Amino acid sequence: MPLTDEDARQLRIRTGMPPNYNGDPKNPFNHSAKRLPDSLNCSFWATNLPKDVTVKEICDAIRDCGRISAIHISRGETYPGGKKKYAAAKIIFVDLKGAQMFFLLAVLGRAPGFIVRGRRAYVERNRHKVPPQLGLPRNHTRVLYITGHYWIANPSYLTQFLESHGIVFQLESTVELPRRDFDHPDLRRLELRFARYSGQARRAYLALQGEAGFRRLSPPLRVDFDDDPCDVRVLERGLTMHNLENRLEACLPPQARFPTFWLCSWD
């Protein structure tokens, strides 16, 4: 039986969610881990973003950090006369390494802070705490790589298909990839970059994989998880955890420094 609006509001309050949050209050992923130590919190709250900021702009600003689990943008309130305040965003990483890298690079970037469209956003650990998703397979991301006939592997058809299955989603972007020489002439390759893994990319993956008609095609539709463009190994940047810690210590006043136990091994 579906919850009434008031029941859903009360459940959100009991589980640590904002009363007006639009997420599913029955989904355990949306519940706050209230007793989680700050050192294990993979969720951040960024404020002072442009009022019409997009998921793509946020992702572009946090490349080379780690796999994103979810991004949710809050547009804020409206002043009298219709003028919007700044926006804010909840940014959740899959694992602690990505969360640490994001914090370090947000502080140690070329410009001070986390810069989106020339505006400095203020980043702090979110009060709605989310632990590392230790059980999530390494190849599972918010990005789907789709290979199929041109009448399926196109943004218009896929949007219609997912909406018909009741999947509410938001995309960072859709990337149409070039055909390879050995591809079937009717095949197209497409990348869908969702704003969220749980409830969006994962549900889309299951819906596409479960469609019997797609499996009977020749060749059949192929759906795989692809690399998250926000996820790049630290060593590929010529950085190590040790020199990141040293640079952080050098640029922050003592009262603002993180305790060393907040940083984990990269092994």
Side-chain angles (χ1 to χ4, degrees), residues 155-173:
S156 177
Y157 179 85
L158 290 171
T159 296
Q160 183 180 15
F161 174 84
L162 297 179
E163 289 178 347
S164 71
H165 283 67
I167 301 174
V168 179
F169 62 94
Q170 186 177 14
L171 293 174
E172 173 201 335
S173 60

Side-chain angles (χ1 to χ4, degrees), residues 1 7 18 28 30 67 78 89 94 110 132 137 169 176 191 197 267:
M1 180 177 179
D7 288 342
N30 292 332
R67 281 184 294 167
T78 304
V94 170
R110 295 179 180 176
F169 62 94
E176 297 191 45
E191 191 176 75
Y197 168 75
D267 298 331

Side-chain angles (χ1 to χ4, degrees), residues 15-181:
T15 53
M17 287 185 279
N20 297 323
Y21 179 58
N22 291 325
D24 181 1
K26 294 183 289 185
N27 184 347
F29 180 79
N30 292 332
H31 299 174
S32 176
K34 297 180 181 179
R35 298 183 180 181
L36 185 76
D38 285 343
S39 59
L40 299 178
N41 187 7
C42 292
S43 179
F44 294 91
W45 183 245
T47 57
N48 200 43
L49 295 166
K51 61 185 179 182
D52 56 348
V53 69
T54 65
V55 173
K56 184 180 188 310
E57 288 177 308
I58 293 174
C59 289
D60 285 346
I62 57 177
R63 294 286 193 252
D64 305 338
C65 291
R67 281 184 294 167
I68 296 290
S69 174
I71 293 176
H72 175 75
I73 298 174
S74 174
R75 299 296 176 187
E77 301 174 0
T78 304
Y79 286 117
K83 184 179 179 181
K84 290 284 187 181
K85 294 182 179 180
Y86 58 79
K90 178 171 64 175
I91 304 168
I92 305 174
F93 286 85
V94 170
D95 54 44
L96 195 57
K97 293 178 182 180
Q100 292 170 346
M101 191 67 179
F102 171 65
F103 178 81
L104 293 176
L105 294 183
V107 173
L108 298 176
R110 295 179 180 176
F114 175 45
I115 308 300
V116 178
R117 204 193 300 167
R119 179 193 292 266
R120 178 179 179 179
Y122 303 105
V123 177
E124 60 183 342
R125 287 175 290 187
N126 198 348
R127 290 178 297 176
H128 183 99
K129 299 180 180 180
V130 177
Q133 298 173 56
L134 301 178
L136 189 66
R138 186 66 183 85
N139 65 317
H140 280 223
T141 71
R142 63 186 179 89
V143 181
L144 294 186
Y145 180 86
I146 300 169
T147 305
H149 289 269
Y150 66 90
W151 55 269
I152 296 176
N154 68 79
S156 177
Y157 179 85
L158 290 171
T159 296
Q160 183 180 15
F161 174 84
L162 297 179
E163 289 178 347
S164 71
H165 283 67
I167 301 174
V168 179
F169 62 94
Q170 186 177 14
L171 293 174
E172 173 201 335
S173 60
T174 301
V175 182
E176 297 191 45
L177 303 170
R179 293 181 63 254
R180 298 172 294 193
D181 292 339

